[in-house]
Amino acid sequence: MPRRGSSAKAEDIPVVEGFPLTFDLKSGRMFVQGNPVWFMSPFYYVDMQAQLEAVMGRAAKGILYRAAELAGRRFAETLGAGETADGDDGARLAILLRLAEFLRHAGHGYADLVIGDVGRLETTWTMPQSYI
């Protein structure tokens, strides 16, 4: 990995097919489909969850669940490449499959998707390889 201030070129950064991650080497920022992102250690997330639960009790689980749900919807829309969850069932499935591919490349491992009602966006993700 190039050090700060080095003369890294875009071709030095590995590209993973199907992983829409781009880098701005000048600013040191990462983007997925033009939206800024950063990677967070799974330990940071787990520590944050433990602290929230210690302070707030069971309510913390509801907050984290809702935040994850909103983040997942927002990210699915980003990966939708112009398709929206308001589209037809085929468009919804395409977005979900892109999201599953992204999760794998982002380090969560393979994700299992159980679809309850694709029209109502009722899905359940299982990520047995994820740290979280």
Side-chain angles (χ1 to χ4, degrees), residues 6-130:
S6 70
S7 58
K9 297 179 179 73
E11 60 267 14
D12 295 334
I13 299 172
V15 175
V16 178
E17 192 67 33
F19 190 69
L21 184 65
T22 56
F23 297 88
D24 178 348
L25 295 178
K26 186 174 181 179
S27 68
R29 297 199 55 201
M30 296 182 292
F31 300 86
V32 172
Q33 304 252 342
N35 294 293
V37 296
W38 72 84
F39 290 107
M40 172 175 55
S41 161
F43 303 112
Y44 177 87
Y45 184 88
V46 169
D47 290 342
M48 181 175 57
Q49 178 180 355
Q51 290 302 310
L52 281 171
E53 289 175 359
V55 172
M56 299 178 64
R58 292 182 48 97
K61 289 184 181 184
I63 292 169
L64 293 170
Y65 176 85
R66 183 68 176 144
E69 180 182 20
L70 292 171
R73 283 181 180 268
R74 193 176 309 116
F75 206 66
E77 289 172 3
T78 298
L79 290 177
E83 298 174 29
T84 67
D86 297 333
D88 62 18
D89 289 352
R92 289 183 186 104
L93 285 173
I95 292 170
L96 290 169
L97 292 174
R98 279 191 209 108
L99 186 55
E101 186 69 10
F102 179 81
L103 289 171
R104 182 173 66 88
H105 290 301
H108 287 286
Y110 288 97
D112 296 323
L113 172 63
V114 177
I115 300 172
D117 182 339
V118 73
R120 293 179 52 191
L121 298 175
E122 293 176 356
T123 61
T124 302
W125 290 92
T126 303
M127 297 181 287
Q129 309 303 314
S130 178

